[in-house]
C-alpha cells in the first residue's frame, strides 16, 4: 500500500535487529551499528558506506557530536570516533547497564538504563571520568534521557546545558555541563517517558515539549522557562508530543489527537487500523507516524491523512534528516524515505 508521493530512497539490511538507538543522524551524516559488531558511516542520500569500525555489538547507542561520533555498546564500552574518517580516538570500558548518551559542550553524560546507575560525566576529549554530584537527583528514580539545550536566562549569554527529569520526582532541572544545577521547576507530575527512548520533542521555534503525567503537555524554552501548554481530557501514550507552530500532535490509545492551540480545538484522527504507534517524527506540514503493522502515515495540521506506505519490517525509530529525508530503523533494516511536503488526502 503506497501513496506514490512517498518513496523509499534506499534501504540497507542490518543483518541483525540492531537497537533503535544504534542510529545517529546529523547534517550530512548517518551512522548505524550493524552485523553484530560493526559501526558504519553512510551517505544519507545514497546510502553509500564511507567508513566502518569494529565495536562489541549492535544494540547500543550512537550519538553524533560535532566532528565526533560516540557509540556506547551494550557490553559497556564507550567509543569515540572521528566522524570524518572513522579513526578511533579513545575507548572507555566499565559502562555496563548504561544506555543514555547526551553531549553538552565538552562533556558526555551517561544515564543508567532503568535507573541501574546514577548519571555520570566523562570528558569528550579523552573519555576520562569527571566528578559528578547526584544529590540534586536523590529520589528521582530512573532518569529520562538528558536533553541538550542552550540555556539563556534573560539578559545572559547562552550556555550549553541539559534537561534532567526522573520518573519519581515532579521536577524539571536545567543542569550545566559542569554538573551544577542552574534552575529547577516544579511540575504537576513526573515527566513521562517510554522505556529506552527519548521523552522530549523539539519544535521548530526551539521549544522542548514533554508530558507531565499522562494528560498534561508542557514546554521548556531557553528564555521563558517551563509552561503548561495543554491539558488533555484522556490519557496519552508515553510518547514525546510533536509541536509545530500552533499545532500539537498527541498519541492516544485509540488514535492521534490534533490540537489547534490558537483556537483550542481538538481533532480526533481515528480509527487508524494499523495497530499501535511505535515511532513518530515531525515532517514538513505535519507529522509522520509508524505503526506496529509496518504502516507509515502522515497527518497534516488539518487532520488529513496521506503519504501512506507499508514496509515489510516494523519501524522502531524515525529521525528526520536533511532536505526532506527521513531515516527509519527497525527489525533488521535501515530505510531512508523521501517525504512529500504536500499531497495529503482527506481522511476516509
Amino acid at each position: 500500500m503506497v501513496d506514490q508521493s512517498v518513496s523509499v530512497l534506499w534501504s540497507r539490511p542490518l543483518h541483525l535487529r540492531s537497537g533503535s538507538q544504534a542510529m545517529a543522524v546529523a547534517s550530512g551524516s548517518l551512522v548505524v551499528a550493524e552485523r553484530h559488531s560493526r559501526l558504519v558511516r553512510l551517505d544519507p542520500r545514497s546510502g553509500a558506506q564511507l567508513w566502518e569500525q569494529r565495536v562489541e555489538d549492535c544494540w547500543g547507542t550512537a550519538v553524533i557530536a560535532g566532528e565526533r561520533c560516540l557509540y556506547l555498546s551494550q557490553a559497556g564500552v564507550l567509543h569515540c570516533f572521528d566522524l570524518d574518517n572513522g579513526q578511533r580516538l579513545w575507548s572507555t570500558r566499565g559502562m555496563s547497564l548504561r544506555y543514555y548518551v547526551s553531549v553538552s559542550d565538552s562533556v558526555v553524560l551517561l544515564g543508567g538504563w532503568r535507573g541501574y546507575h546514577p548519571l555520570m560525566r566523562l570528558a569528550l576529549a579523552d573519555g576520562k571520568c569527571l566528578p559528578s554530584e547526584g544529590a540534586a537527583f536523590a529520589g528521582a528514580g530512573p532518569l529520562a534521557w538528558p536533553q541538550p539545550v542552550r540555556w539563556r536566562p534573560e539578559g545572559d549569554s547562552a550556555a550549553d546545558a541539559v534537561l534532567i527529569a526522573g520518573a519519581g520526582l515532579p521536577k524539571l532541572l536545567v543542569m550545566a555541563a559542569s554538573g551544577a544545577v542552574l534552575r529547577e521547576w516544579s511540575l504537576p507530575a513526573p515527566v513521562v517517558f517510554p522505556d529506552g527512548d527519548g521523552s522530549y520533542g523539539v519544535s521548530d521555534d526551539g521549544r522542548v515539549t514533554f508530558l507531565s503525567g499522562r494528560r498534561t503537555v508542557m514546554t521548556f524554552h531557553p528564555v521563558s522557562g517551563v509552561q503548561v501548554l495543554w491539558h488533555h481530557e484522556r490519557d496519552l501514550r508515553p510518547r514525546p508530543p510533536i509541536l509545530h507552530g500552533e499545532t500539537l500532535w498527541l498519541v492516544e490509545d485509540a488514535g492521534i489527537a490534533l490540537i489547534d492551540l490558537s483556537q483550542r480545538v481538538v481533532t480526533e484522527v481515528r480509527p487508524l487500523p494499523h495497530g499501535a504507534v511505535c515511532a513518530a517524527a515531525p515532517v514538513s506540514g505535519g507529522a509522520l507516524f509508524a505503526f506496529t503493522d509496518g504502516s507509515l502515515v502522515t497527518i497534516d495540521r488539518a487532520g488529513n491523512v496521506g503519504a501512506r506506505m507499508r514496509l515489510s519490517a516494523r519501524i522502531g525509530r524515525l529521525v528526520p534528516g536533511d532536505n526532506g529525508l527521513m531515516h527509519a530503523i527497525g527489525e533488521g533494516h535501515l530505510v531512508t524515505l523521501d517525504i512529500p511536503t504536500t499531497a495529503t488526502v482527506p481522511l476516509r
Side-chain angles (χ1 to χ4, degrees):
M1 178 176 62
V2 178
D3 181 321
Q4 294 301 322
S5 57
V6 180
S7 62
V8 174
L9 190 61
W10 57 267
S11 64
R12 181 182 180 93
L14 303 177
H15 300 280
L16 282 175
R17 185 173 179 175
S18 300
S20 63
Q21 296 294 337
M23 174 181 70
V25 179
S27 179
S29 300
L30 171 61
V31 175
V32 67
E34 62 174 19
R35 295 178 182 266
H36 190 276
S37 59
R38 190 168 77 169
L39 186 74
V40 297
R41 181 186 173 192
L42 308 174
D43 181 276
R45 180 153 290 278
S46 69
Q49 183 174 312
L50 303 178
W51 54 254
E52 68 173 80
Q53 273 284 7
R54 297 283 293 183
V55 290
E56 291 72 29
D57 52 60
C58 61
W59 306 296
T61 303
V63 172
I64 294 174
E67 298 178 352
R68 299 191 175 199
C69 170
L70 299 170
Y71 184 73
L72 174 62
S73 66
Q74 192 178 71
V77 183
L78 178 63
H79 301 278
C80 181
F81 303 99
D82 185 294
L83 181 62
D84 182 55
N85 57 29
Q87 178 186 356
R88 192 186 307 269
L89 302 176
W90 52 261
S91 297
T92 300
R93 297 183 176 274
M95 304 293 141
S96 60
L97 291 179
R98 291 178 172 87
Y99 185 63
Y100 306 152
V101 181
S102 299
V103 178
S104 179
D105 194 19
S106 59
V107 175
V108 183
L109 299 165
L110 301 185
W113 181 58
R114 295 180 178 174
Y116 287 132
H117 288 285
L119 195 69
M120 66 181 301
R121 301 167 60 247
L122 291 84
L124 179 60
D126 56 15
K128 299 293 179 61
C129 291
L130 299 172
S132 296
E133 175 57 61
F137 319 134
L143 296 182
W145 197 305
Q147 172 67 35
V149 295
R150 292 286 288 170
W151 170 236
R152 186 177 181 178
E154 189 171 356
D156 293 343
S157 58
D160 289 313
V162 290
L163 298 181
I164 300 290
L169 193 67
K171 290 184 178 180
L172 184 73
L173 292 80
V174 176
M175 189 180 79
S178 65
V181 175
L182 304 175
R183 179 75 184 272
E184 67 176 60
W185 293 266
S186 296
L187 304 176
V191 173
V192 174
F193 49 94
D195 185 26
D197 205 350
S199 54
Y200 304 99
V202 181
S203 72
D204 56 318
D205 62 2
R207 286 178 290 176
V208 178
T209 58
F210 58 95
L211 297 181
S212 174
R214 295 296 293 271
R215 297 191 177 189
T216 302
V217 181
M218 305 195 72
T219 63
F220 164 86
H221 189 274
V223 174
S224 57
V226 171
Q227 298 176 337
V228 174
L229 185 66
W230 177 257
H231 290 292
H232 206 57
E233 294 184 351
R234 292 173 296 278
D235 284 353
L236 298 166
R237 300 290 297 169
R239 296 209 163 270
I242 295 176
L243 175 65
H244 185 80
E246 291 300 306
T247 306
L248 183 65
W249 288 259
L250 303 173
V251 179
E252 300 178 335
D253 286 332
I256 311 298
L258 270 82
I259 318 299
D260 182 335
L261 295 170
S262 61
Q263 302 294 324
R264 314 300 285 183
V265 173
V266 180
T267 300
E268 300 289 344
V269 183
R270 61 174 66 168
L272 290 167
H274 307 303
V277 172
C278 52
V283 295
S284 177
L288 177 68
F289 295 90
F291 295 85
T292 52
D293 72 347
S295 293
L296 295 168
V297 174
T298 58
I299 301 176
D300 70 10
R301 298 180 189 177
N304 296 322
V305 175
R308 297 173 182 265
M309 171 177 286
R310 179 170 292 171
L311 302 176
S312 58
R314 178 190 298 187
I315 296 303
R317 184 163 164 247
L318 294 165
V319 181
D322 295 330
N323 303 317
L325 298 185
M326 181 68 67
H327 305 288
I329 186 172
E331 296 194 344
H333 281 82
L334 176 63
V335 180
T336 291
L337 305 167
D338 250 331
I339 302 296
T341 57
T342 55
T344 57
V345 296
L347 178 65
R348 296 180 174 87

